[in-house]
């Protein structure tokens, strides 16, 4: 594991953290009970198998 050689200033730490952003997951259309809905791609199979219920 990498170990820093010196302390990082508060300004640099906050600047680095501020640049990180989460991206929204890609949405794909899924037809459940005759209704097409947009759901996150990684949950598509769960909706198709009936493990998750789409919200009304």
């Amino acid at each position: 594991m990498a170990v820093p050689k010196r302390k990082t200033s508060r300004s640099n730490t906050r600047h680095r953290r501020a640049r990180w952003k989460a991206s929204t997951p890609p949405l794909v259309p899924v037809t459940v009970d005759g209704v097409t809905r947009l759901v996150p791609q990684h949950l598509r199979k769960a909706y198709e198998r009936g493990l998750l219920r789409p919200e009304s």
Side-chain angles (χ1 to χ4, degrees), residues 14-35:
R14 290 181 177 166
H15 183 261
R16 184 184 67 244
R17 288 179 181 162
R19 292 186 56 178
W20 182 86
K21 289 191 175 32
S23 59
T24 58
L27 299 178
V28 294
V30 173
T31 303
V32 179
D33 298 332
V35 179

Side-chain angles (χ1 to χ4, degrees), residues 22-28 38-43:
S23 59
T24 58
L27 299 178
V28 294
L38 290 175
V39 297
Q41 184 176 4
H42 68 282
L43 295 176

